[in-house]
Amino acid sequence: MKKLLLLFAFVGVSAVGLAQTGPKIEFTAKDNTIDYGTVSKETDNGLRSFEFKNTGNAPLIISNVQSTCGCTVPSFPKEPILPGKTGKIDVKYNMGPGAIRKTITVESNAVNYEGGKVPLKIKGEVIVKKEVNPLEKKKSILEKA
């Protein structure tokens, strides 16, 4: 009876240990979000990088990265990321004026996310810089509006 109980305990501990083995992806961005802040197309190229580390014990394979629209173009490493190594997913936003609220979905073999799918987010606002015409007459303080 003791041997049977010991066997079940060993199998239970092994099963718990096996459930945690495999590649794990951990992003450095807080809440997996990059905030562009308030930017303009004239001064910002729209390129940002999500850096990550494989904290698991097997090679991490990123099979696909998709954006919710064509205005955001992701690129990702095609080679496996070995345990303890880092990588990055670059995201290029087209910098059209207005609010930035986009989701990028990473598909991988990571065991720490359900189905290996990790949502990444970008947010911010793109403004249009007002051009100053040097020939335009400026109103003085004394003039009535």
Side-chain angles (χ1 to χ4, degrees):
M1 182 69 174
K2 287 183 182 180
K3 289 183 180 181
L4 187 59
L5 192 57
L6 186 60
L7 178 64
F8 281 129
F10 178 74
V11 169
V13 169
S14 296
V16 170
L18 288 175
Q20 298 301 319
T21 62
K24 295 180 184 177
I25 190 168
E26 299 288 338
F27 286 90
T28 58
K30 183 179 178 190
D31 300 324
N32 295 350
T33 301
I34 289 181
D35 189 350
Y36 279 62
T38 302
V39 294
S40 72
K41 186 174 188 172
E42 293 79 18
T43 60
D44 195 316
N45 66 3
L47 184 63
R48 300 292 187 277
S49 295
F50 285 93
E51 295 180 3
F52 63 88
K53 183 175 185 175
N54 179 358
T55 59
N57 59 6
L60 173 69
I61 298 170
I62 297 176
S63 55
N64 195 19
V65 179
Q66 292 182 314
S67 173
T68 52
C69 74
C71 61
T72 309
V73 180
S75 62
F76 61 96
K78 308 296 190 257
E79 66 282 347
I81 308 299
L82 298 177
K85 299 297 181 184
T86 60
K88 67 179 181 170
I89 295 171
D90 293 324
V91 177
K92 175 111 170 93
Y93 183 69
N94 76 354
M95 302 303 281
I100 304 171
R101 299 282 184 269
K102 304 296 175 196
T103 301
I104 298 97
T105 303
V106 177
E107 297 175 10
S108 71
N109 64 339
V111 297
N112 57 328
Y113 283 91
E114 187 175 334
K117 293 186 178 184
V118 184
L120 305 176
K121 297 185 185 310
I122 59 172
K123 65 180 185 176
E125 182 177 10
V126 179
I127 59 171
V128 178
K129 280 195 164 186
K130 186 177 179 182
E131 292 185 28
V132 177
N133 184 348
L135 301 176
E136 187 177 294
K137 183 180 176 186
K138 294 181 181 179
K139 289 186 178 183
S140 72
I141 298 174
L142 301 175
E143 289 183 41
K144 292 185 179 180

